[in-house]
PDB file of all heavy atoms in Angstrom:
ATOM      1  N   ARG A1456     145.669 351.875 157.755  1.00  0.00           N
ATOM      2  CA  ARG A1456     145.742 351.008 158.934  1.00  0.00           C
ATOM      3  C   ARG A1456     146.449 349.702 158.621  1.00  0.00           C
ATOM      4  O   ARG A1456     147.211 349.191 159.434  1.00  0.00           O
ATOM      5  CB  ARG A1456     144.341 350.731 159.479  1.00  0.00           C
ATOM      6  CG  ARG A1456     143.820 351.886 160.316  1.00  0.00           C
ATOM      7  CD  ARG A1456     142.481 351.567 160.889  1.00  0.00           C
ATOM      8  NE  ARG A1456     141.515 352.070 159.907  1.00  0.00           N
ATOM      9  CZ  ARG A1456     140.302 351.614 159.739  1.00  0.00           C
ATOM     10  NH1 ARG A1456     139.868 350.623 160.463  1.00  0.00           N
ATOM     11  NH2 ARG A1456     139.503 352.121 158.836  1.00  0.00           N
ATOM     12  N   MET A1457     146.187 349.155 157.427  1.00  0.00           N
ATOM     13  CA  MET A1457     146.847 347.909 157.035  1.00  0.00           C
ATOM     14  C   MET A1457     148.355 348.108 156.949  1.00  0.00           C
ATOM     15  O   MET A1457     149.129 347.234 157.328  1.00  0.00           O
ATOM     16  CB  MET A1457     146.286 347.380 155.725  1.00  0.00           C
ATOM     17  CG  MET A1457     144.873 346.842 155.860  1.00  0.00           C
ATOM     18  SD  MET A1457     144.267 346.127 154.345  1.00  0.00           S
ATOM     19  CE  MET A1457     145.128 344.578 154.377  1.00  0.00           C
ATOM     20  N   ARG A1458     148.761 349.258 156.467  1.00  0.00           N
ATOM     21  CA  ARG A1458     150.186 349.571 156.375  1.00  0.00           C
ATOM     22  C   ARG A1458     150.802 349.622 157.775  1.00  0.00           C
ATOM     23  O   ARG A1458     151.897 349.108 158.014  1.00  0.00           O
ATOM     24  CB  ARG A1458     150.366 350.900 155.646  1.00  0.00           C
ATOM     25  CG  ARG A1458     151.736 351.467 155.649  1.00  0.00           C
ATOM     26  CD  ARG A1458     152.554 350.922 154.566  1.00  0.00           C
ATOM     27  NE  ARG A1458     153.883 351.495 154.655  1.00  0.00           N
ATOM     28  CZ  ARG A1458     154.738 351.473 153.701  1.00  0.00           C
ATOM     29  NH1 ARG A1458     154.414 350.912 152.574  1.00  0.00           N
ATOM     30  NH2 ARG A1458     155.913 351.995 153.850  1.00  0.00           N
ATOM     31  N   GLY A1459     150.082 350.215 158.702  1.00  0.00           N
ATOM     32  CA  GLY A1459     150.559 350.274 160.079  1.00  0.00           C
ATOM     33  C   GLY A1459     150.688 348.898 160.708  1.00  0.00           C
ATOM     34  O   GLY A1459     151.665 348.610 161.404  1.00  0.00           O
ATOM     35  N   ARG A1460     149.704 348.032 160.455  1.00  0.00           N
ATOM     36  CA  ARG A1460     149.767 346.664 160.976  1.00  0.00           C
ATOM     37  C   ARG A1460     150.942 345.915 160.375  1.00  0.00           C
ATOM     38  O   ARG A1460     151.681 345.216 161.071  1.00  0.00           O
ATOM     39  CB  ARG A1460     148.464 345.925 160.676  1.00  0.00           C
ATOM     40  CG  ARG A1460     147.310 346.375 161.547  1.00  0.00           C
ATOM     41  CD  ARG A1460     146.139 345.440 161.410  1.00  0.00           C
ATOM     42  NE  ARG A1460     145.436 345.578 160.145  1.00  0.00           N
ATOM     43  CZ  ARG A1460     144.359 346.309 159.956  1.00  0.00           C
ATOM     44  NH1 ARG A1460     143.841 346.983 160.955  1.00  0.00           N
ATOM     45  NH2 ARG A1460     143.765 346.364 158.791  1.00  0.00           N
ATOM     46  N   ALA A1461     151.119 346.065 159.072  1.00  0.00           N
ATOM     47  CA  ALA A1461     152.240 345.396 158.397  1.00  0.00           C
ATOM     48  C   ALA A1461     153.570 345.892 158.951  1.00  0.00           C
ATOM     49  O   ALA A1461     154.487 345.094 159.199  1.00  0.00           O
ATOM     50  CB  ALA A1461     152.165 345.630 156.894  1.00  0.00           C
ATOM     51  N   ASP A1462     153.680 347.182 159.167  1.00  0.00           N
ATOM     52  CA  ASP A1462     154.916 347.741 159.726  1.00  0.00           C
ATOM     53  C   ASP A1462     155.196 347.193 161.132  1.00  0.00           C
ATOM     54  O   ASP A1462     156.338 346.881 161.466  1.00  0.00           O
ATOM     55  CB  ASP A1462     154.856 349.268 159.767  1.00  0.00           C
ATOM     56  CG  ASP A1462     155.031 349.897 158.392  1.00  0.00           C
ATOM     57  OD1 ASP A1462     155.534 349.213 157.476  1.00  0.00           O
ATOM     58  OD2 ASP A1462     154.667 351.087 158.245  1.00  0.00           O
ATOM     59  N   ALA A1463     154.156 347.067 161.942  1.00  0.00           N
ATOM     60  CA  ALA A1463     154.326 346.546 163.302  1.00  0.00           C
ATOM     61  C   ALA A1463     154.836 345.107 163.266  1.00  0.00           C
ATOM     62  O   ALA A1463     155.753 344.737 164.015  1.00  0.00           O
ATOM     63  CB  ALA A1463     153.014 346.635 164.071  1.00  0.00           C
ATOM     64  N   ILE A1464     154.262 344.305 162.406  1.00  0.00           N
ATOM     65  CA  ILE A1464     154.678 342.906 162.289  1.00  0.00           C
ATOM     66  C   ILE A1464     156.109 342.827 161.769  1.00  0.00           C
ATOM     67  O   ILE A1464     156.936 342.075 162.293  1.00  0.00           O
ATOM     68  CB  ILE A1464     153.705 342.118 161.394  1.00  0.00           C
ATOM     69  CG1 ILE A1464     152.345 341.990 162.089  1.00  0.00           C
ATOM     70  CG2 ILE A1464     154.275 340.739 161.059  1.00  0.00           C
ATOM     71  CD1 ILE A1464     151.241 341.477 161.206  1.00  0.00           C
ATOM     72  N   LEU A1465     156.408 343.594 160.749  1.00  0.00           N
ATOM     73  CA  LEU A1465     157.765 343.580 160.193  1.00  0.00           C
ATOM     74  C   LEU A1465     158.797 344.070 161.208  1.00  0.00           C
ATOM     75  O   LEU A1465     159.911 343.535 161.274  1.00  0.00           O
ATOM     76  CB  LEU A1465     157.829 344.413 158.911  1.00  0.00           C
ATOM     77  CG  LEU A1465     157.107 343.806 157.709  1.00  0.00           C
ATOM     78  CD1 LEU A1465     157.105 344.792 156.551  1.00  0.00           C
ATOM     79  CD2 LEU A1465     157.733 342.491 157.297  1.00  0.00           C
ATOM     80  N   ASN A1466     158.444 345.056 162.012  1.00  0.00           N
ATOM     81  CA  ASN A1466     159.361 345.534 163.046  1.00  0.00           C
ATOM     82  C   ASN A1466     159.663 344.443 164.067  1.00  0.00           C
ATOM     83  O   ASN A1466     160.814 344.267 164.485  1.00  0.00           O
ATOM     84  CB  ASN A1466     158.802 346.774 163.746  1.00  0.00           C
ATOM     85  CG  ASN A1466     158.862 348.008 162.887  1.00  0.00           C
ATOM     86  OD1 ASN A1466     159.653 348.089 161.952  1.00  0.00           O
ATOM     87  ND2 ASN A1466     158.012 348.972 163.187  1.00  0.00           N
ATOM     88  N   GLU A1467     158.635 343.700 164.477  1.00  0.00           N
ATOM     89  CA  GLU A1467     158.852 342.608 165.427  1.00  0.00           C
ATOM     90  C   GLU A1467     159.702 341.507 164.803  1.00  0.00           C
ATOM     91  O   GLU A1467     160.579 340.938 165.461  1.00  0.00           O
ATOM     92  CB  GLU A1467     157.517 342.036 165.916  1.00  0.00           C
ATOM     93  CG  GLU A1467     156.801 342.918 166.894  1.00  0.00           C
ATOM     94  CD  GLU A1467     157.597 343.159 168.168  1.00  0.00           C
ATOM     95  OE1 GLU A1467     158.220 342.224 168.695  1.00  0.00           O
ATOM     96  OE2 GLU A1467     157.599 344.307 168.647  1.00  0.00           O
ATOM     97  N   LEU A1468     159.448 341.198 163.542  1.00  0.00           N
ATOM     98  CA  LEU A1468     160.261 340.194 162.855  1.00  0.00           C
ATOM     99  C   LEU A1468     161.716 340.642 162.760  1.00  0.00           C
ATOM    100  O   LEU A1468     162.636 339.840 162.940  1.00  0.00           O
ATOM    101  CB  LEU A1468     159.705 339.906 161.458  1.00  0.00           C
ATOM    102  CG  LEU A1468     158.435 339.074 161.404  1.00  0.00           C
ATOM    103  CD1 LEU A1468     157.873 339.059 159.986  1.00  0.00           C
ATOM    104  CD2 LEU A1468     158.708 337.655 161.884  1.00  0.00           C
ATOM    105  N   GLU A1469     161.926 341.906 162.496  1.00  0.00           N
ATOM    106  CA  GLU A1469     163.289 342.434 162.410  1.00  0.00           C
ATOM    107  C   GLU A1469     163.991 342.352 163.767  1.00  0.00           C
ATOM    108  O   GLU A1469     165.163 341.981 163.843  1.00  0.00           O
ATOM    109  CB  GLU A1469     163.271 343.878 161.906  1.00  0.00           C
ATOM    110  CG  GLU A1469     164.639 344.509 161.775  1.00  0.00           C
ATOM    111  CD  GLU A1469     165.586 343.782 160.832  1.00  0.00           C
ATOM    112  OE1 GLU A1469     165.117 343.114 159.890  1.00  0.00           O
ATOM    113  OE2 GLU A1469     166.807 343.871 161.049  1.00  0.00           O
ATOM    114  N   ARG A1470     163.283 342.663 164.839  1.00  0.00           N
ATOM    115  CA  ARG A1470     163.862 342.547 166.175  1.00  0.00           C
ATOM    116  C   ARG A1470     164.238 341.107 166.478  1.00  0.00           C
ATOM    117  O   ARG A1470     165.301 340.828 167.035  1.00  0.00           O
ATOM    118  CB  ARG A1470     162.872 343.034 167.227  1.00  0.00           C
ATOM    119  CG  ARG A1470     162.743 344.535 167.300  1.00  0.00           C
ATOM    120  CD  ARG A1470     161.848 344.964 168.418  1.00  0.00           C
ATOM    121  NE  ARG A1470     162.225 344.234 169.640  1.00  0.00           N
ATOM    122  CZ  ARG A1470     161.524 344.243 170.750  1.00  0.00           C
ATOM    123  NH1 ARG A1470     160.423 344.929 170.821  1.00  0.00           N
ATOM    124  NH2 ARG A1470     161.913 343.568 171.800  1.00  0.00           N
ATOM    125  N   LEU A1471     163.368 340.187 166.080  1.00  0.00           N
ATOM    126  CA  LEU A1471     163.631 338.773 166.307  1.00  0.00           C
ATOM    127  C   LEU A1471     164.837 338.308 165.495  1.00  0.00           C
ATOM    128  O   LEU A1471     165.709 337.601 165.999  1.00  0.00           O
ATOM    129  CB  LEU A1471     162.388 337.958 165.953  1.00  0.00           C
ATOM    130  CG  LEU A1471     162.370 336.518 166.390  1.00  0.00           C
ATOM    131  CD1 LEU A1471     162.446 336.403 167.899  1.00  0.00           C
ATOM    132  CD2 LEU A1471     161.118 335.834 165.882  1.00  0.00           C
ATOM    133  N   ARG A1472     164.912 338.727 164.245  1.00  0.00           N
ATOM    134  CA  ARG A1472     166.041 338.372 163.377  1.00  0.00           C
ATOM    135  C   ARG A1472     167.339 338.902 163.976  1.00  0.00           C
ATOM    136  O   ARG A1472     168.340 338.186 164.055  1.00  0.00           O
ATOM    137  CB  ARG A1472     165.841 338.939 161.974  1.00  0.00           C
ATOM    138  CG  ARG A1472     166.948 338.560 160.993  1.00  0.00           C
ATOM    139  CD  ARG A1472     166.749 339.237 159.648  1.00  0.00           C
ATOM    140  NE  ARG A1472     167.102 340.638 159.691  1.00  0.00           N
ATOM    141  CZ  ARG A1472     168.351 341.111 159.602  1.00  0.00           C
ATOM    142  NH1 ARG A1472     169.357 340.299 159.464  1.00  0.00           N
ATOM    143  NH2 ARG A1472     168.584 342.405 159.661  1.00  0.00           N
ATOM    144  N   HIS A1473     167.311 340.127 164.420  1.00  0.00           N
ATOM    145  CA  HIS A1473     168.502 340.730 165.020  1.00  0.00           C
ATOM    146  C   HIS A1473     168.923 339.945 166.263  1.00  0.00           C
ATOM    147  O   HIS A1473     170.112 339.661 166.470  1.00  0.00           O
ATOM    148  CB  HIS A1473     168.244 342.194 165.366  1.00  0.00           C
ATOM    149  CG  HIS A1473     169.442 342.897 165.899  1.00  0.00           C
ATOM    150  ND1 HIS A1473     169.674 343.011 167.255  1.00  0.00           N
ATOM    151  CD2 HIS A1473     170.486 343.495 165.283  1.00  0.00           C
ATOM    152  CE1 HIS A1473     170.805 343.651 167.446  1.00  0.00           C
ATOM    153  NE2 HIS A1473     171.322 343.954 166.268  1.00  0.00           N
ATOM    154  N   GLY A1474     167.956 339.584 167.079  1.00  0.00           N
ATOM    155  CA  GLY A1474     168.255 338.809 168.283  1.00  0.00           C
ATOM    156  C   GLY A1474     168.843 337.448 167.973  1.00  0.00           C
ATOM    157  O   GLY A1474     169.757 336.981 168.642  1.00  0.00           O
ATOM    158  N   LEU A1475     168.314 336.814 166.932  1.00  0.00           N
ATOM    159  CA  LEU A1475     168.851 335.517 166.527  1.00  0.00           C
ATOM    160  C   LEU A1475     170.286 335.641 166.029  1.00  0.00           C
ATOM    161  O   LEU A1475     171.154 334.841 166.367  1.00  0.00           O
ATOM    162  CB  LEU A1475     167.986 334.899 165.422  1.00  0.00           C
ATOM    163  CG  LEU A1475     166.664 334.294 165.864  1.00  0.00           C
ATOM    164  CD1 LEU A1475     165.787 333.996 164.653  1.00  0.00           C
ATOM    165  CD2 LEU A1475     166.910 333.031 166.663  1.00  0.00           C
ATOM    166  N   LEU A1476     170.533 336.658 165.223  1.00  0.00           N
ATOM    167  CA  LEU A1476     171.866 336.840 164.641  1.00  0.00           C
ATOM    168  C   LEU A1476     172.914 337.224 165.682  1.00  0.00           C
ATOM    169  O   LEU A1476     174.087 336.848 165.568  1.00  0.00           O
ATOM    170  CB  LEU A1476     171.822 337.894 163.535  1.00  0.00           C
ATOM    171  CG  LEU A1476     171.064 337.492 162.267  1.00  0.00           C
ATOM    172  CD1 LEU A1476     170.965 338.678 161.319  1.00  0.00           C
ATOM    173  CD2 LEU A1476     171.730 336.314 161.583  1.00  0.00           C
ATOM    174  N   THR A1477     172.508 337.980 166.678  1.00  0.00           N
ATOM    175  CA  THR A1477     173.467 338.447 167.681  1.00  0.00           C
ATOM    176  C   THR A1477     173.487 337.568 168.933  1.00  0.00           C
ATOM    177  O   THR A1477     174.301 337.796 169.819  1.00  0.00           O
ATOM    178  CB  THR A1477     173.148 339.890 168.101  1.00  0.00           C
ATOM    179  OG1 THR A1477     171.832 339.928 168.669  1.00  0.00           O
ATOM    180  CG2 THR A1477     173.251 340.845 166.929  1.00  0.00           C
ATOM    181  N   GLY A1478     172.583 336.598 168.990  1.00  0.00           N
ATOM    182  CA  GLY A1478     172.523 335.734 170.166  1.00  0.00           C
ATOM    183  C   GLY A1478     171.885 336.399 171.366  1.00  0.00           C
ATOM    184  O   GLY A1478     172.074 335.958 172.494  1.00  0.00           O
ATOM    185  N   THR A1479     171.135 337.455 171.132  1.00  0.00           N
ATOM    186  CA  THR A1479     170.515 338.193 172.236  1.00  0.00           C
ATOM    187  C   THR A1479     168.993 338.058 172.256  1.00  0.00           C
ATOM    188  O   THR A1479     168.317 338.810 172.953  1.00  0.00           O
ATOM    189  CB  THR A1479     170.873 339.690 172.149  1.00  0.00           C
ATOM    190  OG1 THR A1479     170.401 340.212 170.898  1.00  0.00           O
ATOM    191  CG2 THR A1479     172.370 339.896 172.269  1.00  0.00           C
ATOM    192  N   MET A1480     168.468 337.101 171.512  1.00  0.00           N
ATOM    193  CA  MET A1480     167.018 336.914 171.466  1.00  0.00           C
ATOM    194  C   MET A1480     166.520 336.505 172.850  1.00  0.00           C
ATOM    195  O   MET A1480     167.141 335.684 173.521  1.00  0.00           O
ATOM    196  CB  MET A1480     166.639 335.836 170.460  1.00  0.00           C
ATOM    197  CG  MET A1480     165.141 335.671 170.305  1.00  0.00           C
ATOM    198  SD  MET A1480     164.698 334.394 169.119  1.00  0.00           S
ATOM    199  CE  MET A1480     164.984 332.945 170.085  1.00  0.00           C
ATOM    200  N   THR A1481     165.429 337.101 173.254  1.00  0.00           N
ATOM    201  CA  THR A1481     164.855 336.793 174.563  1.00  0.00           C
ATOM    202  C   THR A1481     163.468 336.189 174.392  1.00  0.00           C
ATOM    203  O   THR A1481     162.864 336.268 173.323  1.00  0.00           O
ATOM    204  CB  THR A1481     164.729 338.064 175.416  1.00  0.00           C
ATOM    205  OG1 THR A1481     163.762 338.929 174.805  1.00  0.00           O
ATOM    206  CG2 THR A1481     166.054 338.787 175.563  1.00  0.00           C
ATOM    207  N   VAL A1482     162.981 335.605 175.466  1.00  0.00           N
ATOM    208  CA  VAL A1482     161.615 335.101 175.462  1.00  0.00           C
ATOM    209  C   VAL A1482     160.652 336.251 175.203  1.00  0.00           C
ATOM    210  O   VAL A1482     159.656 336.104 174.506  1.00  0.00           O
ATOM    211  CB  VAL A1482     161.280 334.410 176.807  1.00  0.00           C
ATOM    212  CG1 VAL A1482     159.832 333.979 176.849  1.00  0.00           C
ATOM    213  CG2 VAL A1482     162.204 333.235 177.032  1.00  0.00           C
ATOM    214  N   GLY A1483     160.989 337.417 175.734  1.00  0.00           N
ATOM    215  CA  GLY A1483     160.150 338.594 175.514  1.00  0.00           C
ATOM    216  C   GLY A1483     160.032 338.951 174.037  1.00  0.00           C
ATOM    217  O   GLY A1483     158.972 339.379 173.590  1.00  0.00           O
ATOM    218  N   ASP A1484     161.113 338.758 173.285  1.00  0.00           N
ATOM    219  CA  ASP A1484     161.063 339.021 171.841  1.00  0.00           C
ATOM    220  C   ASP A1484     160.059 338.094 171.160  1.00  0.00           C
ATOM    221  O   ASP A1484     159.262 338.522 170.323  1.00  0.00           O
ATOM    222  CB  ASP A1484     162.443 338.834 171.206  1.00  0.00           C
ATOM    223  CG  ASP A1484     163.449 339.861 171.678  1.00  0.00           C
ATOM    224  OD1 ASP A1484     163.047 340.973 172.068  1.00  0.00           O
ATOM    225  OD2 ASP A1484     164.658 339.536 171.649  1.00  0.00           O
ATOM    226  N   VAL A1485     160.105 336.819 171.515  1.00  0.00           N
ATOM    227  CA  VAL A1485     159.189 335.841 170.910  1.00  0.00           C
ATOM    228  C   VAL A1485     157.761 336.130 171.341  1.00  0.00           C
ATOM    229  O   VAL A1485     156.830 336.088 170.529  1.00  0.00           O
ATOM    230  CB  VAL A1485     159.607 334.401 171.265  1.00  0.00           C
ATOM    231  CG1 VAL A1485     158.626 333.396 170.683  1.00  0.00           C
ATOM    232  CG2 VAL A1485     161.019 334.110 170.763  1.00  0.00           C
TER     233      VAL A1485
END
Side-chain angles (χ1 to χ4, degrees):
R1456 280 183 268 154
M1457 289 184 77
R1458 171 85 181 197
R1460 286 191 287 264
D1462 285 342
I1464 292 169
L1465 290 174
N1466 287 338
E1467 286 299 319
L1468 286 171
E1469 180 59 27
R1470 284 185 47 190
L1471 192 62
R1472 183 184 75 81
H1473 184 265
L1475 284 168
L1476 291 174
T1477 61
T1479 60
M1480 184 180 77
T1481 66
V1482 176
D1484 294 334
V1485 178

